Structure formats: C-alpha cells, structure tokens
Amino acid sequence: MNEHIQLMIDWIEDNLTNKFSLDELAHYMGYSPYYCSFKFHQVTGISIRRYVLLRRLYLSTKDLANNKRIIDIAFDYDYSSQEAYSRAFKSVFGINPREYQLRQLPVQSFFKLTINNKEEWYRMNVSRKIEVEKLQNGNKELFDQDVLNILNGQVMYEEFNNEKLMGDSDYVPFNEAMCVNTTTEQVFDKEFIKTRALGHRVSVEDYIQKVIEPLDNLFHKEYKYIVLWFGEDMFCQMNLLTILAYLEQSQYDGRVFLNSFREDEFKVSQTELTLGNYFSVYKEVLINHKRPSIELLPVMFQARDIYLDMLKENNAVVKYISQNKDLPTSELVNRLLSLFPTIGYGDSQYIDLINKNR
C-alpha cells in the first residue's frame, strides 16, 4: 500500500500547477476517489486536499521571494483570483503574500512526502561552517565576545561550542520541550522549575541541572546581542517563544536575532526581532491555550496553530496512532517522525502518546 501512496504523491507533485481533480487521480490509480482519499489520509496522516494546499502555498513562497507577480503566482497554482490566493496564504502563514514578498520572514518548510524514508527528513547537511560563514559575511558583529548564542538542545550546543562556529561568542543550550506539560507565567523562577519538573516526572534538582544551570550565562552576564538558533517545527518554536518571553520579563535591552533553520538541512534564515509582545503571546498560547490576535512571524504563527491542535483529544497524530496501533511501537514512532516533521516531537513524546492511546 505504501508504494501506491507514493505513486499518488508523485502524481500530485506532477500536477501541482494544474487544476487538482480527485477523480483524475483516482482514474490514474485505478481506485475509487473515496478509497484514494481514505488510504492517503490513513497512511500519511493528512488529507489529499490539505497536502495540495500546503505544498502549493509553500512552493509559492519561492516565487514570491523571486519577486514574481502575485497575480501570476495565483493563477499558476490554480487559484481563481489573487484575492483567493491571498486568503489561503494568510490562513496558513498569518501574513498576506505582499507582506511576505517585502519582508521574506521565515516559514515552515513543507516538502514532498516520501513514504518510509526517515533519512529524507532527518538528513543534516554537513556544511554548517559554510552556512555560518555566509552569516559572518553579512553581520560580523554577531561573532564577538558580547554575543550570546542560545541553541535549541544539547546536541546542537555541543557541536557549536566544540567547533566555535560563532567565533568568540558564548553558547548556552535550552534543553526543554515547552510544547508538552503545563507552565507558569514567570519564566525560570522557582514555581516554573517546580511545575516543569513535575510535568517531566523528574526531580527539581535534576531539572535544575539539565535545564537551568546550562543557561547560567543568560542569567548572570550582560550581552549586546542575543542570537537564537531554533528550528522551524512547533517543538522548537514553543521553546523559542519561552526564551523571548523571558527576555521581556528580564527587561533585556540589547538586540535579538533569530536564526531559523530547516530541519532537513542547515539552511539559515536570519531575522532581527523586536521584543515587546512575546510574553503576551506566551501567556495566551502556552498557559491559556488560546490564539492571540497579535501578529507573529509566519513560522511561529504556523507553530502556534499546530501546538493548539495537538492539545485536542482527537488530533491528527492521535488519529494516526489509532488507525495504526497494531504496528510495533518502534515502527509507529518512525512513521510519526517521518510524516509529521512540522510538529517536531521526539521519540519520547511520541512513545508517551502511543502508550496513552493504546
């Protein structure tokens, strides 16, 4: 069956700039439209129409970045008008196409699905140094001693620190998973530590050792610049939101840069951020579980929606687990990692969900 689903994906990809027809896809596959829709969703965890929508909109960002006329892009991807394309674009990215064209803010990548090919999603480009050199050529100030790099996780921290990829600047890891368990308004205070440790089922002492102590430079040194290295997925973006909320609470008055990178390869999009509204967003999203009205970076806008959807009892991942619960846990985890890269969960988060829903 997976081979058949891959054939469907290949056909869809070949026809993304044509008028999509489920009947034509079904005729090509030799199955009924209902059967194609049902099996595609069962295997991939996403509907065919949603897949087509996200692929078209993501590919259209490339055209926008190349300053192609918006009306031409709309017609290229089979929208009836520029307005219809703009509405769809804003519903996914939180800004309209013209704003994106002018500012080129980071968005979540949405690549062609490849069934049963985990390496396709998790292959990491080895040329990190080349990408960092490009950043250095654009902004040498971010490589000096008065710069703190906050990296999403211990593995990234150890690589950057060992290789001194950012010159003489300091490095700290943020070893958390803010997309799971409850949190508190004041970030990193005693109540926060107690609450997060309880959620992760570890002692306060262990939590302090793993999460708080590695951030010591953030708490006790002053920096002219802070550079935040966080991926596009929801997991990383909720961690990023937490750090930004803390910077506002601590009244940090330096400059803040986000280096957002794709998960399949090390390609960085650098954006300077303005503090001021992130604690409000943190409170609304991670504490109150609501959608704030404040405009967000597209990549965080997308992550916010994924986070809130994952709080629902019958979210896409839970549905997928329920439909495939007879699979061995290891195989099911690998499928979830491959099919839901924009969520960003790791093995432990998925195993918890699998155990809870079996």
Side-chain angles (χ1 to χ4, degrees):
M1 176 48 63
N2 286 354
E3 292 79 7
H4 292 166
I5 301 302
Q6 192 62 59
L7 282 175
M8 289 190 206
I9 293 170
D10 293 342
W11 185 91
I12 290 168
E13 291 289 328
D14 289 340
N15 290 275
L16 281 174
T17 56
N18 300 327
K19 183 175 180 62
F20 175 73
S21 169
L22 180 58
D23 288 338
E24 289 183 17
L25 171 60
H27 177 74
Y28 171 78
M29 294 298 302
Y31 297 112
S32 72
Y34 171 79
Y35 184 82
C36 287
S37 294
F38 175 77
K39 284 299 181 181
F40 188 95
H41 191 277
Q42 183 184 47
V43 172
T44 67
I46 187 174
S47 72
I48 290 177
R49 294 196 181 277
R50 182 68 177 171
Y51 179 81
V52 170
L53 170 72
L54 295 179
R55 283 292 290 144
R56 283 175 168 174
L57 290 175
Y58 175 64
L59 291 174
S60 78
T61 64
K62 311 292 186 182
D63 295 326
L64 290 169
N66 290 325
N67 289 317
K68 190 170 183 177
R69 292 201 315 164
I70 295 174
I71 191 168
D72 292 336
I73 298 172
F75 291 143
D76 282 349
Y77 290 101
D78 192 41
Y79 284 92
S80 59
S81 66
Q82 181 173 325
E83 290 72 21
Y85 166 66
S86 295
R87 284 194 300 271
F89 193 95
K90 188 165 186 176
S91 72
V92 170
F93 298 120
I95 61 173
N96 63 50
R98 183 58 179 161
E99 289 177 291
Y100 178 83
Q101 197 165 51
L102 292 172
R103 302 165 66 189
Q104 295 192 27
L105 299 170
V107 301
Q108 280 189 345
S109 302
F110 191 78
F111 300 108
K112 174 185 175 180
L113 281 179
T114 304
I115 305 301
N116 282 345
N117 189 358
K118 183 181 176 185
E119 291 183 0
E120 183 71 20
W121 292 104
Y122 292 90
R123 181 185 68 251
M124 186 59 75
N125 193 319
V126 296
S127 58
R128 288 184 186 267
K129 288 186 177 181
I130 295 175
E131 188 70 11
V132 172
E133 285 173 2
K134 293 178 184 177
L135 295 174
Q136 188 170 17
N137 291 334
N139 198 340
K140 289 183 169 54
E141 293 177 299
L142 299 184
F143 291 75
D144 292 334
Q145 292 180 350
D146 54 359
V147 177
L148 176 66
N149 295 275
I150 302 179
L151 309 168
N152 192 72
Q154 190 69 24
V155 172
M156 190 175 189
Y157 163 76
E158 290 176 359
E159 179 177 352
F160 270 59
N161 191 44
N162 292 339
E163 298 292 332
K164 291 297 178 186
L165 290 182
M166 292 295 287
D168 296 325
S169 54
D170 288 340
Y171 306 80
V172 296
F174 186 36
N175 299 322
E176 249 290 9
M178 295 301 301
C179 58
V180 296
N181 305 323
T182 57
T183 188
T184 62
E185 284 196 20
Q186 191 65 39
V187 181
F188 299 140
D189 71 354
K190 290 183 179 179
E191 188 61 28
F192 176 94
I193 293 170
K194 180 180 177 182
T195 300
R196 296 300 297 169
L198 182 64
H200 289 307
R201 299 189 294 274
V202 299
S203 68
V204 167
E205 291 75 18
D206 285 345
Y207 184 86
I208 290 173
Q209 183 178 25
K210 181 178 181 180
V211 180
I212 303 301
E213 289 181 356
L215 292 171
D216 187 69
N217 281 354
L218 173 64
F219 304 139
H220 297 110
K221 292 181 69 174
E222 293 186 3
Y223 294 94
K224 185 177 179 181
Y225 305 101
I226 289 180
V227 182
L228 307 169
W229 296 79
F230 289 85
E232 302 170 346
D233 60 58
M234 180 270 290
F235 182 107
C236 290
Q237 289 296 306
M238 294 304 101
N239 282 356
L240 169 64
L241 179 57
T242 303
I243 293 293
L244 291 170
Y246 172 76
L247 292 179
E248 290 183 357
Q249 290 177 347
S250 62
Q251 298 183 321
Y252 175 73
D253 60 359
R255 295 172 68 185
V256 180
F257 290 84
L258 168 63
N259 284 348
S260 176
F261 53 89
R262 287 176 13 185
E263 297 299 331
D264 71 314
E265 64 177 0
F266 195 68
K267 185 175 181 180
V268 176
S269 172
Q270 187 173 88
T271 308
E272 184 168 3
L273 305 180
T274 302
L275 299 177
N277 294 316
Y278 289 105
F279 169 65
S280 174
V281 176
Y282 166 88
K283 183 178 177 181
E284 285 299 292
V285 175
L286 289 176
I287 296 177
N288 298 330
H289 300 158
K290 295 180 180 179
R291 286 178 169 81
S293 58
I294 297 169
E295 183 178 299
L296 299 172
L297 289 173
V299 66
M300 189 174 286
F301 176 91
Q302 294 169 277
R304 176 207 68 181
D305 282 355
I306 294 172
Y307 170 76
L308 295 175
D309 285 343
M310 287 297 295
L311 296 176
K312 299 174 182 176
E313 290 186 5
N314 201 26
N315 61 61
V317 174
V318 169
K319 287 181 181 177
Y320 191 87
I321 292 170
S322 298
Q323 293 169 345
N324 297 277
K325 57 186 175 183
D326 293 335
L327 290 173
T329 296
S330 60
E331 183 178 345
L332 186 49
V333 168
N334 285 339
R335 285 200 186 187
L336 293 168
L337 290 169
S338 176
L339 295 172
F340 297 96
T342 57
I343 292 173
Y345 275 4
D347 292 23
S348 60
Q349 286 85 36
Y350 279 131
I351 289 171
D352 284 347
L353 269 179
I354 291 168
N355 291 337
K356 188 183 299 183
N357 289 280
R358 271 183 168 165

